[in-house]
Amino acid sequence: MSDLRELLGDLVSEVDAVFLFSPSASFYESFEDVDDALVVVVAPDNSVGAEEFVELPLEFNDVASRVRFGVEGAMDQDLVDDGAEIACAVKTFDEDIDTVMRVKASNFSPSGVYGLFVNSRAEPSVIRDVLEVAVELGKKGQKGKPVGALFVVGDAGKVMNKSRPLSYNPFEKSHVHVGDPIVNVMLKEFSRLDGAFVISDSGKIVSAYRYLEPSAEGVDIPKGLGARHMAAGAITRDSNAVAIVLSESDGLVRAFKGGELILELDPEEY
């Protein structure tokens, strides 16, 4: 008769690293003497005093996104390389860690998600909400047709000073925030018109229909990308904002930070 531990032991045999997602202190302590694999804690803060730590700026709702972020963050910090085999211990149904999965780091080709969330001025949850709006627009379009959109998130005061209105601002006297389902529907409707959305650090929608005026001189973007992407690169070079762009031509979502392209993903695969 087969032993259950032997059968399930393949999940963790000869792994290069063990990732513990938001472990309790006692759970982490039980791993402190592991000497045949790197132990990495992925959590909002390093309350357990782990030597190897990846900050989780928000609790992603689904396990797959949580694991992706943890792996990308560890690769970004050079804790593991793309050849690593990783056992991930996560919370799925309970308050305590109750699930173990084995993944290959190579399954998570760097998308730039980690760099987008970490060390940005805007709140991570706001960046997530805007990214999700762009991804959903990329999947469904506007009435079945491809649509382009530009969202500038954070440092709204400076962004407003470096832009001008193209039309009446429907959000001028409102106090609505991205992430509200009704507001997200409004964003999708307005996305078919020209100009950028400007969103504050806390997620308040400051304006729509903004023409971004920073000079694009010196901004280096991949060939084939147009004015919307050039404007995104320029405004993030001249401010502390992050820009998320949905391309009408190829349907990809891209993000810019510090004047550079840091993320590129296909909405259909995200």
Side-chain angles (χ1 to χ4, degrees):
M1 180 177 291
S2 298
D3 184 278
L4 188 58
R5 292 188 180 185
E6 290 180 0
L7 292 173
L8 296 180
D10 289 340
L11 276 174
V12 295
S13 66
E14 298 182 359
V15 296
D16 301 296
V18 177
F19 283 21
L20 307 179
F21 286 76
S22 301
S24 64
S26 59
F27 192 91
Y28 174 69
E29 286 173 6
S30 65
F31 282 80
E32 284 188 304
D33 293 330
V34 171
D35 57 9
D36 55 349
L38 179 72
V39 177
V40 179
V41 168
V42 184
D45 56 71
N46 193 5
S47 60
V48 298
E51 185 174 340
E52 309 295 351
F53 172 70
V54 174
E55 181 184 358
L56 189 69
L58 51 87
E59 287 285 359
F60 293 91
N61 293 329
D62 64 289
V63 171
S65 295
R66 225 177 306 157
V67 170
R68 172 184 292 278
F69 190 94
V71 173
E72 285 202 22
M75 293 175 70
D76 189 77
Q77 296 181 39
D78 295 322
L79 298 178
V80 297
D81 58 31
D82 60 6
E85 296 273 348
I86 304 168
C88 298
V90 300
K91 300 174 183 177
T92 303
F93 301 105
D94 205 347
E95 291 298 316
D96 296 319
I97 287 175
D98 57 7
T99 304
V100 177
M101 64 182 72
R102 183 179 180 130
V103 301
K104 295 179 180 179
S106 59
N107 290 340
F108 303 94
S109 55
S111 66
V113 170
Y114 181 79
L116 178 63
F117 282 101
V118 173
N119 297 325
S120 289
R121 173 167 167 158
E123 296 175 8
S125 60
V126 172
I127 296 175
R128 176 200 59 196
D129 289 338
V130 174
L131 182 63
E132 288 180 350
V133 170
V135 166
E136 189 170 351
L137 263 175
K139 288 180 178 178
K140 298 181 179 179
Q142 188 59 256
K143 297 182 179 179
K145 296 182 179 180
V147 64
L150 170 55
F151 304 89
V152 185
V153 188
D155 206 3
K158 183 173 286 188
V159 173
M160 292 294 284
N161 287 335
K162 291 182 174 291
S163 62
R164 59 180 171 82
L166 289 173
S167 182
Y168 166 73
N169 175 17
F171 300 103
E172 185 172 4
K173 295 182 180 180
S174 70
H175 295 280
V176 296
H177 286 69
V178 65
D180 184 306
I182 295 176
V183 175
N184 288 357
V185 170
M186 295 170 62
L187 288 176
K188 293 168 190 173
E189 286 297 320
F190 290 133
S191 67
R192 68 182 185 274
L193 302 174
D194 289 336
F197 293 98
V198 179
I199 300 167
S200 75
D201 297 341
S202 63
K204 182 180 182 295
I205 302 174
V206 177
S207 183
Y209 312 139
R210 298 295 294 188
Y211 177 79
L212 304 178
E213 296 186 308
S215 168
E217 184 178 354
V219 175
D220 184 21
I221 66 172
K223 292 182 179 179
L225 301 183
R228 185 178 280 119
H229 294 86
M230 189 68 75
I235 194 66
T236 62
R237 177 200 59 196
D238 292 356
S239 72
N240 290 318
V242 167
I244 296 174
V245 186
L246 170 62
S247 173
E248 184 175 1
S249 58
D250 63 17
L252 298 183
V253 172
R254 298 179 176 87
F256 292 80
K257 184 176 173 184
E260 298 181 353
L261 176 66
I262 63 168
L263 176 150
E264 182 175 274
L265 58 86
D266 184 341
E268 298 295 341
E269 297 178 359
Y270 183 72

